[in-house]
Amino acid sequence: MSTLTVSKHFVEASLSGAQRLGLDVHELLQEAGISPDLLRIEKARVSSDQFSRLMQVIWNRTGDEFMALGPRRAHSGTFATMCALVIDCQTLEEVYQRAFQFSRLFEPMVAMELEVGADSARLVTRIEGEIHDPDYYLRESILVIWHRLGSWLIGQPVELEKAEFNYPRPEHGDEYRHIFHCPLSFDSDCTALTFSKRFLSAPVIRDKPEMRQFLKTSPADLLSRPDESNTWTGRIRGLIGRDFSRPMPDFDWIAQELHTSPQTLRRRLKQENTSFQEIKDLLRRDMAIYYLSHQELPINDIAERVGFTEPSTFHRAFKKWTGVTPGAWREGERGDLVQ
């Protein structure tokens, strides 16, 4: 069960190419199990499962893994073919080099090129031709997929030192903090991810049977369900758990369990662009959204499940997180939202 949620911005951005092609966006949403009414809520979020299904629906209906946002069509199976070529690589460096060579076979090219320095390495976005990406979704997706594919292949997250973007900070820029977990730089001369050179020598630990299983839901799952297990944020989420009926562990206990000092942990979280309080709040928000999708659960019971002793306190917190009450959110999911 994944309780992570995805901002409605990414839902709408991912659909912009399909909309430009004249496809019925409401039909695509419903096929993915997302109520169009829910997206009328300003701060709406969908589950990672719903978002993963939506990606697959868009790719299938457009016949384009670039979702009609790129300079050309990427026919279905392009990503799987690239994965089949890189699974035999020995190291992460070889993976990124071979993936770039594969992407160069297509014109105009859409790829990320590996640049290796003395201590660090960069994956730099290379996109030729005209793109139709007003919300930056294609560019964000390329960064995320190449980074998380590499992390999956070596069995450990490639810890990012910096993420750069050759465009101004977008309105949804705050979401980037939870995607990249590193310092962000906008209006840069390129769009790139920087990480320690040491990751390039990491061996590929996956095999072909694992890749076949992986491709059943990827790259959709790479976009919707990041592996946070080795980020400080993810470790803290794991220690907190999902049972909020028990007292919430305090920060000193969390630091002790992670074998670090509270001061060091605060510094680590700052580097990941978050804080202990924010992690707790977002975990509660995502759990509340998850429970609200189960229509049979009374809202007062949900309040207790996510750690609120008073339903009124839960209502206020949920409205702060999403802009609407739990009841209005549930109406949006049912498709009978009245505004």
Side-chain angles (χ1 to χ4, degrees), residues 174-216:
D174 197 53
E175 293 286 337
Y176 282 32
R177 295 188 299 116
H178 310 297
I179 296 172
F180 299 105
H181 298 292
C182 68
L184 309 171
S185 178
F186 295 93
D187 284 317
S188 296
D189 58 358
C190 65
T191 297
L193 300 175
T194 300
F195 53 93
S196 171
K197 183 181 174 180
R198 66 183 171 85
F199 287 103
L200 295 180
S201 60
V204 172
I205 66 166
R206 306 296 181 177
D207 58 24
K208 290 180 180 178
E210 285 178 297
M211 179 62 81
R212 284 193 291 271
Q213 186 65 31
F214 171 81
L215 287 172
K216 289 181 179 180

Side-chain angles (χ1 to χ4, degrees), residues 296-314:
E296 74 281 3
L297 284 176
I299 289 175
N300 286 358
D301 287 358
I302 293 173
E304 186 175 350
R305 287 187 182 212
V306 295
F308 290 90
T309 54
E310 294 293 333
S312 59
T313 309
F314 170 60

Side-chain angles (χ1 to χ4, degrees), residues 34-264:
I34 299 172
S35 166
D37 255 14
L38 180 64
L39 299 187
R40 292 167 57 191
I41 297 172
E42 183 181 354
K43 296 180 182 178
R45 303 184 72 85
V46 302
S47 73
S48 58
D49 289 332
Q50 290 172 316
F51 191 68
S52 183
R53 287 196 298 269
L54 179 62
M55 291 298 96
Q56 293 168 324
V57 168
I58 294 171
W59 289 323
N60 290 337
R61 294 290 293 274
T62 62
D64 181 4
E65 293 181 358
F66 290 156
M67 302 163 284
L69 302 173
R72 58 171 172 82
R73 176 179 291 184
H75 291 284
S76 298
T78 302
F79 177 77
T81 302
M82 184 180 78
C83 288
L85 289 172
V86 303
I87 192 61
D88 292 323
C89 292
Q90 298 299 306
T91 65
L92 182 63
E93 182 170 11
E94 191 179 338
V95 165
Y96 283 141
Q97 289 173 341
R98 188 172 295 181
F100 180 68
Q101 291 167 355
F102 171 78
S103 300
R104 287 182 61 211
L105 297 175
F106 303 91
E107 291 184 347
M109 179 177 66
V110 178
M112 295 195 75
E113 184 174 9
L114 180 65
E115 295 181 349
V116 183
D119 300 312
S120 62
R122 286 204 311 173
L123 280 174
V124 183
T125 306
R126 307 293 187 203
I127 299 179
E128 299 172 343
E130 182 183 358
I131 60 176
H132 312 278
D133 189 28
D135 300 306
Y136 311 107
Y137 186 69
L138 176 67
R139 283 161 281 186
E140 295 161 354
S141 298
I142 292 168
L143 289 176
V144 169
I145 288 172
W146 281 59
H147 173 236
R148 292 179 183 166
L149 173 63
S151 298
W152 180 79
L153 285 167
I154 65 172
Q156 60 175 307
V158 177
E159 297 169 10
L160 298 177
E161 296 176 352
K162 182 168 65 171
E164 302 171 83
F165 309 92
N166 67 346
Y167 48 83
R169 182 185 180 91
E171 288 186 13
H172 64 285
D174 197 53
E175 293 286 337
Y176 282 32
R177 295 188 299 116
H178 310 297
I179 296 172
F180 299 105
H181 298 292
C182 68
L184 309 171
S185 178
F186 295 93
D187 284 317
S188 296
D189 58 358
C190 65
T191 297
L193 300 175
T194 300
F195 53 93
S196 171
K197 183 181 174 180
R198 66 183 171 85
F199 287 103
L200 295 180
S201 60
V204 172
I205 66 166
R206 306 296 181 177
D207 58 24
K208 290 180 180 178
E210 285 178 297
M211 179 62 81
R212 284 193 291 271
Q213 186 65 31
F214 171 81
L215 287 172
K216 289 181 179 180
T217 54
S218 288
D221 276 3
L222 293 177
L223 292 169
S224 63
R225 276 191 282 271
D227 177 11
E228 292 186 321
S229 58
N230 279 319
T231 64
W232 294 100
T233 300
R235 292 171 193 166
I236 291 173
R237 285 177 70 111
L239 286 171
I240 293 173
R242 294 169 178 159
D243 184 2
F244 293 102
S245 62
R246 301 175 303 172
M248 183 80 73
D250 64 28
F251 191 71
D252 288 345
W253 181 87
I254 292 283
Q256 185 176 349
E257 288 296 301
L258 294 175
H259 307 290
T260 187
S261 69
Q263 295 84 357
T264 299

